[in-house]
Amino acid sequence: LLGAESFYKVNPGDLPELKENIEAVAPVGFRVIHLIKPSKMVTALPFEGVSRLGVGPADGSSEQAAKILLDAYGRSDQVRLVNGKVEELADQLANGHIEGLLTIASSGDAQMVKMLSEKGLVLQPVTRWDSRDRQYRYPFFRLARINPGIYPGLREPVETVGAQVVLAGPRPDKPMLGDGDPVSGLRTQRQAIPLGVKQSLAKTLDVKETIDPTLPGERVTTVSARKDVQPINPAPEVSLITLVLLAALGFFFYKLRSSR
């Protein structure tokens, strides 16, 4: 399971580059950025006043998302990322050892509920994402909103961004040039997931949406049985009506023949 942000390599100042070895197979959900601060440190722009930002485990999805957002807001050189368990980082934030904590999670995440209710922390809005060229440079992040009532003390909607979560699989290499022998076409490190397997996964997961168009992968559809197909054995009332029509038709032909 990967977030859309994990499909891209981001170097500060450069455009994101799509990774070549993975593809999206089926969408399974949506996660949003939770940027957390002490209430007195909420600012107009998300990373103002932040020099140390907790991002969870090293090389995790939250760290990846943090690097992208810091690049988007031009703060990569001013903010140091701090790794660790989210619960321990929340303690550091409450004690003033770091100035912010960023995680990417489903809206209403139980861990977020616990942190916001027990440690006196609040959500910092991720504002002005649609200004400048941020939403065009990083199109896999979508404008989102955390609604009131989802977290303790949240009385107004909070602006943020989020990304689709997908079931991911290997993306096959380009075939190596061979000498034309029968196995030359098999010389790849990865094999594509067959379309039938993708359809089965989509059906099992009961997928109701398509893969984000910014991600590589086939747009798999599952075909269901037509609802207007009649059963082979008709209902009793249909059989009765049919019998009456046949009897009337037979009586008509009988009268027609006897009148000659």
Side-chain angles (χ1 to χ4, degrees), residues 19 29 45 56 74 102 136 144 156 160 185 194 205 207 237:
K19 295 178 181 178
L45 284 174
L102 186 148
Y136 304 109
E156 296 182 355
T160 186
L205 293 169
V207 171
E237 58 270 20

Side-chain angles (χ1 to χ4, degrees), residues 224-239:
S224 58
R226 290 183 56 185
K227 295 182 179 180
D228 58 345
V229 175
Q230 295 295 324
I232 295 176
N233 296 319
E237 58 270 20
V238 175
S239 299

Side-chain angles (χ1 to χ4, degrees), residues 57-237:
D59 300 322
S61 56
S62 294
E63 181 177 17
Q64 169 77 354
K67 290 179 179 179
I68 294 171
L69 265 69
L70 289 171
D71 182 50
Y73 286 94
R75 298 278 296 175
S76 297
D77 295 333
Q78 291 79 31
V79 179
R80 179 171 66 88
L81 301 183
V82 180
N83 297 114
K85 294 182 178 180
V86 174
E87 299 87 350
E88 296 174 356
L89 292 170
D91 289 334
Q92 293 185 41
L93 180 60
N95 295 329
H97 298 146
I98 59 177
E99 295 79 33
L101 171 61
L102 186 148
T103 67
I104 183 166
S106 301
S107 187
D109 180 77
Q111 190 177 44
M112 296 297 107
V113 172
K114 183 178 180 181
M115 283 194 300
L116 294 174
S117 62
E118 294 180 355
K119 303 184 182 299
L121 304 172
V122 297
L123 291 171
Q124 159 73 54
V126 180
T127 54
R128 304 183 193 176
W129 184 257
D130 54 352
S131 65
R132 299 189 178 183
D133 63 346
R134 295 184 184 105
Q135 61 182 335
Y136 304 109
R137 287 174 60 87
Y138 316 95
F140 45 88
F141 271 137
R142 310 288 182 177
L143 288 170
R145 177 175 291 174
I146 301 174
N147 292 321
I150 291 180
Y151 295 114
L154 187 61
R155 296 181 177 85
E156 296 182 355
V158 174
E159 292 181 60
T160 186
V161 295
Q164 190 179 65
V165 181
V166 299
L167 186 64
R171 191 178 180 189
D173 292 329
K174 294 180 180 179
M176 298 175 60
L177 293 177
D179 54 7
D181 63 276
V183 298
S184 61
L186 301 178
R187 294 172 183 170
T188 60
Q189 294 180 349
R190 289 174 293 274
Q191 299 297 316
I193 297 176
L195 179 60
V197 174
K198 294 178 182 179
Q199 290 174 331
S200 296
L201 286 169
K203 184 176 180 180
T204 302
L205 293 169
D206 194 23
V207 171
K208 303 297 184 185
E209 58 182 314
T210 59
I211 296 170
D212 190 303
T214 65
L215 302 180
E218 293 181 280
R219 273 55 187 168
V220 176
T221 58
T222 56
V223 180
S224 58
R226 290 183 56 185
K227 295 182 179 180
D228 58 345
V229 175
Q230 295 295 324
I232 295 176
N233 296 319
E237 58 270 20

